[in-house]
Amino acid sequence: ETGVTQTPRHLVMGMTNKKSLKCEQHLGHNAMYWYKQSAKKPLELMFVYSLEERVENNSVPSRFSPECPNSSHLFLHLHTLQPEDSALYLCASSQLASGTGAETQYFGPGTRLLVL
Amino acid sequence: GQNIDQPTEMTATEGAIVQINCTYQTSGFNGLFWYQQHAGEAPTFLSYNVLDGLEEKGRFSSFLSRSKGYSYLLLKELQMKDSASYLCAVRDSNYQLIWGAGTKLIIKP
């Protein structure tokens, strides 16, 4: 049973729609992440929040807008997406220690997004 | 640039042993992770190596050679449920995870 949940699991939207993806972690972690996973490609890090502050953007298009209201919740707001944005969007969390490098990321099941 | 290479797909037989290789070129090294991902599911943590050598955990073992920029994941006594993608990831000098594209492992009876 994963400690990271994501809703919805599947989403179909038109290019003019606005939708939001939700992630919740029940592990008491202090960092949360959004990743994009496309077929046969490496995971692409989109956003990182540490202690509820965004620390990484990775040049993601502005049509993706993250929100982290507290350490347990993370949202990804979507608007005017393109068909090439269709992918699996994964949320992860971890407990950042003092530079040990051993922090393990725990993933949610993902939201399968299809943009028509 | 930073790069993680692993085979795209491998096939093995139930009950056998398979070794999945991962080579990396990164700016610095702060550990290497292996994750398992079944189709449509979350990646789940398998192993972490930061020092050279072999780490054994049940049927799964992971090996690291930092001087060669090389790791492998060894799966013994393969079971049908081991059919999945296996992701290799390296944490670089900025503590950012660099991911490989994953190896899809197909187990045949």
Side-chain angles (χ1 to χ4, degrees), chain A residues 9 35 37 40-43 45 56 58 88 90 99-109, chain B residues 8 30-31 33 35 37 40-45 48 50 87 91 95-97 99-102:
Chain A
R9 294 294 309 276
Y35 284 93
Q37 187 176 37
K40 298 184 180 180
K41 289 186 178 180
L43 287 176
L45 179 64
E56 192 79 41
N58 282 320
L88 181 68
L90 290 164
T100 65
E103 307 89 24
T104 299
Q105 294 185 12
Y106 294 85
F107 286 84
Chain B
T8 302
N30 281 297
F33 296 80
Y35 280 78
Q37 185 178 23
E41 297 183 12
T44 56
F45 170 75
Y48 171 73
V50 67
L87 311 179
R91 197 180 297 280
Y95 291 95
Q96 184 168 359
L97 271 181
W99 292 86

Side-chain angles (χ1 to χ4, degrees), chain B residues 5-80:
Chain B
D5 286 313
Q6 40 179 145
T8 302
E9 186 174 299
M10 299 181 70
T11 302
T13 305
E14 189 177 16
I17 299 173
V18 71
Q19 177 175 311
I20 302 174
N21 296 325
C22 171
T23 57
Y24 61 90
Q25 300 91 37
T26 57
S27 56
F29 178 85
N30 281 297
L32 184 144
F33 296 80
W34 283 97
Y35 280 78
Q36 179 191 62
Q37 185 178 23
H38 286 101
E41 297 183 12
T44 56
F45 170 75
L46 287 178
S47 68
Y48 171 73
N49 295 70
V50 67
L51 299 176
D52 290 349
L54 187 68
E55 295 276 347
E56 297 187 71
K57 192 184 293 186
R59 293 189 299 114
F60 292 8
S61 303
S62 56
F63 171 83
L64 174 68
S65 169
R66 288 172 296 170
S67 62
K68 295 181 179 178
Y70 168 69
S71 172
Y72 67 72
L73 181 69
L74 190 71
L75 292 74
K76 302 177 183 177
E77 301 169 17
L78 286 170
Q79 302 175 10
M80 297 303 293

